[in-house]
Amino acid sequence: MRSMSRCTYRVLLAAATLGLGACTHVEPWQRGTLARPDMASEPAPLQQQVRRHVYGSREAGGITGGGSGGGCGCY
């Protein structure tokens, strides 16, 4: 049990080290490029919301929180 916690600790430490390696200083003239809508993690939030709704309705995945469809993939 003790070796499992050491392994978990090492994995978490490695993940944190890799995650911190991605942090960098952004110069003021670079911020305009990073602020563009196409650089967002979700560039079109309304379109993503509609896609999630359609997927949940068609696949009966239950991810939308409402009633589910037939799950057949029909439109």
Side-chain angles (χ1 to χ4, degrees):
M1 179 104 161
R2 187 170 177 96
S3 64
M4 187 168 140
S5 64
R6 283 185 186 174
C7 181
T8 304
Y9 175 74
R10 288 180 182 170
V11 168
L12 290 176
L13 183 63
T17 303
L18 290 174
L20 289 176
C23 297
T24 184
H25 178 72
V26 178
E27 298 296 334
W29 59 86
Q30 295 173 327
R31 292 181 186 161
T33 303
L34 295 174
R36 291 189 335 230
D38 60 331
M39 294 293 287
S41 61
E42 203 169 293
L46 292 176
Q47 186 178 16
Q48 288 296 104
Q49 185 178 4
V50 169
R51 284 184 181 168
R52 282 190 208 114
H53 174 72
V54 170
Y55 178 79
S57 298
R58 288 172 45 191
E59 298 296 326
I63 59 172
T64 58
S68 57
C72 64
C74 306
Y75 286 101

